[in-house]
């Protein structure tokens, strides 16, 4: 199952070339993760990854420019791998006709109090598993 959310292009997302600046794509996928892990789980009664999680790696393929638009961009997000101490996410940023970008992130559960990586607990794993779509 893929989680779907929408983000709006804001005026300050545009650069001098009148398209969304490449760094803003990371903001878009961050907003998608926040919706998936903090807003959506609360709606479903699931425990969000509130104990802490950090980004270990991002990868983005820019496929088409995003320009100013009133309609939001759709972001599909899903897990491609879940291990004891990390999980991998994939994203597609698109509208009805165009795929603008594909992205990947490696996320690491993090102990905020002790400032060190930690393992996923059972509730976090169960919150992620419905979104797992392993690579063929």
């Amino acid at each position: 199952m893929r989680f779907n959310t929408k983000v709006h292009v804001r005026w300050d997302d545009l650069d001098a070339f009148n398209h969304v600046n490449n760094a803003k794509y990371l903001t878009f996928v961050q907003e998608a993760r926040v919706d998936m892990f903090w807003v959506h789980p609360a709606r479903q009664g699931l425990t969000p990854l509130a104990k802490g999680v950090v980004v270990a790696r991002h990868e983005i393929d820019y496929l088409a420019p995003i320009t100013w638009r009133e309609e939001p961009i759709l972001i599909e997000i899903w897990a491609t791998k879940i291990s004891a101490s990390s999980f991998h996410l994939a994203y597609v940023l698109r509208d009805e006709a165009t795929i603008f970008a594909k992205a990947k992130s490696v996320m690491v559960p993090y102990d905020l109090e002790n400032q060190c990586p930690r393992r996923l607990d059972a509730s976090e794993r169960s919150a992620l598993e419905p979104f797992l779509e392993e690579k063929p």
Side-chain angles (χ1 to χ4, degrees):
M1 170 173 75
R2 293 185 180 188
F3 181 79
N4 293 295
T5 191
K6 295 178 179 178
V7 297
H8 289 275
V9 175
R10 296 164 299 253
W11 189 253
D12 72 340
D13 293 335
L14 303 177
D15 62 16
F17 301 112
N18 202 33
H19 65 263
V20 172
N21 183 275
N22 68 87
K24 296 294 184 169
Y25 286 67
L26 290 177
T27 301
F28 290 169
V29 297
Q30 176 178 283
E31 289 179 17
R33 281 194 314 274
V34 167
D35 193 31
M36 182 178 185
F37 295 131
W38 281 271
V39 177
H40 176 72
R43 280 187 246 139
Q44 301 299 317
L46 300 173
T47 303
L49 290 164
K51 295 177 185 173
V53 63
V54 295
V55 176
R57 183 172 193 278
H58 279 309
E59 179 181 325
I60 301 176
D61 292 323
Y62 302 95
L63 304 173
I66 301 173
T67 56
W68 168 250
R69 55 191 290 136
E70 290 187 26
E71 315 81 37
I73 303 297
L74 176 66
I75 299 180
E76 297 177 29
I77 180 173
W78 65 97
T80 59
K81 180 180 177 183
I82 302 170
S83 67
S85 58
S86 69
F87 57 97
H88 297 214
L89 298 175
Y91 316 81
V92 173
L93 290 75
R94 65 178 182 81
D95 65 13
E96 295 295 324
T98 305
I99 295 177
F100 300 110
K102 294 181 179 180
K104 299 176 186 174
S105 299
V106 177
M107 308 299 294
V108 175
Y110 198 75
D111 182 331
L112 297 172
E113 185 177 327
N114 295 310
Q115 296 291 298
C116 62
R118 62 177 180 81
R119 295 192 171 276
L120 282 169
D121 70 25
S123 66
E124 292 167 326
R125 181 177 286 281
S126 68
L128 288 168
E129 283 175 346
F131 300 102
L132 182 60
E133 201 176 290
E134 295 185 57
K135 297 175 188 176

